[in-house]
Amino acid sequence: MDSVQMIAHIEKSLDYSVFDVKWIPCTAKFVVMGSKPKGTGILQIYELNRGELDKVREIEKPKSFKCCSFGASGLREKQLATGDFMGKLAIYNVERLEQPVYEVPEAHAGIINSLDAIGGTTVNCGAPEIVTGGRDGSVKVWDPRQKDAPVAHISALGDGPAEKRDCWAVGFGDSFDSLERCVVSGYDNGDVKLIDLRVMKERWTTNVKNGVCGIEFDRKDIKMNKLVVTTLEGGLHVFDMRTQHSEKGFAQLTEKDAGQALGSNGVISGAKSTVWTVRHLPQNRDIFATCGGAGNIRVWLYHYPEKRTKSTSTGEEQGVVGSLEMLNATTISTQPVHTFDWSPDRQGLAVCGAFDQTIRVLVSTNLHLH
């Protein structure tokens, strides 16, 4: 079988810090957002044009942008949900960026660290919604059709400032019909929490020992299948979410040193570094990419076990986790690669941003063979 190759096809240096990148569905364009040196927010749209990147649109706002998603938007509307450093949630039409079509100026008290969205394009998976996680420790779910107030507010762990944990990552999942939906959130102390939005109850919690930087279900609009969590100090955790044991929870696979660089001889080298994000390949939910603090990107393939459950001594079913195969490891920067997005339309095409203020368009080959 031919090996997977990842190539940095185009590189472009910018004059600002990049915080998030997202492909615009059904186009050859992507959004880049971040912070100017003076603290203002910058949002740019680039288009691939015969091996070059053309800047087609740009806006600058008073506060730095942190995160974004097209998940709650229909394909025709192309509306981008954004979170900024002052806690504002806003939605922009990418064709008319001057004024937001929806905004909540004080969605959070402080920076919105993470944002995810769902319901824009998938039929029968429920209403369009946006979930935000903030430095204030709270997780909130918003319906763009409803102004000002969230439709769900998942409070911080305690009422006192010392008890509140910084929420670093959020994601939707289990939205397989018009009623079911859950939110998963990760915190700076390693806590991972799964909330069933239909009944507004915590369904599961665990701790992965280090701060959670990235979190994503392999698919949002199916029954929970797999969840990937990435952390500080090289942590990569895969949970099989199909079977939950009453005491042991979900079956878990932990890959150590997932953020470290590989030397020319293929040997892992250097100190453990942060695994900043995870993104599943839209065309194959068993393949995903992780980005590391050593300037590397790794592409993984998940192999299912022969049987996904086993019976315990009490007769209760317990999940069985599979294994991971690393398909490719590529170092593209001397600085951490912290944001990444696969193209939803062309398999293997991706864009990423790094701390060196550079965006890179990447091409991966042979993914269809796995």
Side-chain angles (χ1 to χ4, degrees), residues 77-202:
E77 291 80 12
K78 294 182 173 59
Q79 294 184 345
L80 179 71
T82 66
D84 74 11
F85 272 62
M86 291 302 291
K88 184 171 80 170
L89 170 66
I91 300 177
Y92 294 90
N93 185 314
V94 296
E95 301 297 333
R96 297 181 295 276
L97 290 172
E98 293 75 20
Q99 294 295 327
V101 298
Y102 172 94
E103 67 177 335
V104 184
E106 297 180 354
H108 285 265
I111 185 172
I112 297 177
N113 287 320
S114 181
L115 180 154
D116 194 21
I118 196 173
T121 57
T122 306
V123 178
N124 297 325
C125 87
E129 288 183 332
I130 301 162
V131 60
T132 54
R135 181 172 291 177
D136 57 7
S138 62
V139 175
K140 299 180 181 181
V141 180
W142 309 86
D143 187 329
R145 302 167 300 181
Q146 176 177 312
K147 296 292 184 181
D148 301 327
V151 296
H153 183 181
I154 303 164
S155 299
L157 299 183
D159 296 327
E163 296 176 298
K164 293 182 179 179
R165 306 306 315 194
D166 197 339
C167 180
W168 283 357
V170 292
F172 279 117
D174 207 33
S175 190
F176 58 90
D177 62 23
S178 60
L179 297 177
E180 300 290 339
R181 184 169 290 173
C182 72
V183 163
V184 63
S185 52
Y187 298 83
D188 62 345
N189 65 340
D191 282 346
V192 176
K193 295 182 178 296
L194 180 70
I195 305 297
D196 188 331
L197 292 179
R198 186 172 62 86
V199 296
M200 280 306 298
K201 288 186 178 180
E202 184 177 284

Side-chain angles (χ1 to χ4, degrees), residues 200-272:
M200 280 306 298
K201 288 186 178 180
E202 184 177 284
R203 180 172 170 181
W204 169 71
T205 184
T206 190
N207 186 282
V208 292
K209 298 183 180 180
N210 287 295
V212 176
C213 300
I215 199 164
E216 188 179 61
F217 284 101
D218 56 359
R219 289 290 181 271
K220 303 175 189 178
D221 55 357
I222 62 172
K223 289 185 178 181
M224 289 191 301
N225 186 52
K226 299 192 302 298
L227 175 71
V228 177
V229 178
T230 68
T231 76
L232 302 175
E233 297 190 15
L236 170 60
H237 308 268
V238 182
F239 296 89
D240 186 306
M241 304 296 287
R242 281 294 168 90
T243 304
Q244 182 176 4
H245 189 271
S246 59
E247 295 181 359
K248 298 180 180 180
F250 297 103
Q252 175 183 357
L253 167 68
T254 298
E255 183 77 21
K256 297 181 179 180
D257 308 323
Q260 290 178 267
L262 294 180
S264 58
N265 57 356
V267 177
I268 293 175
S269 61
K272 292 182 179 180

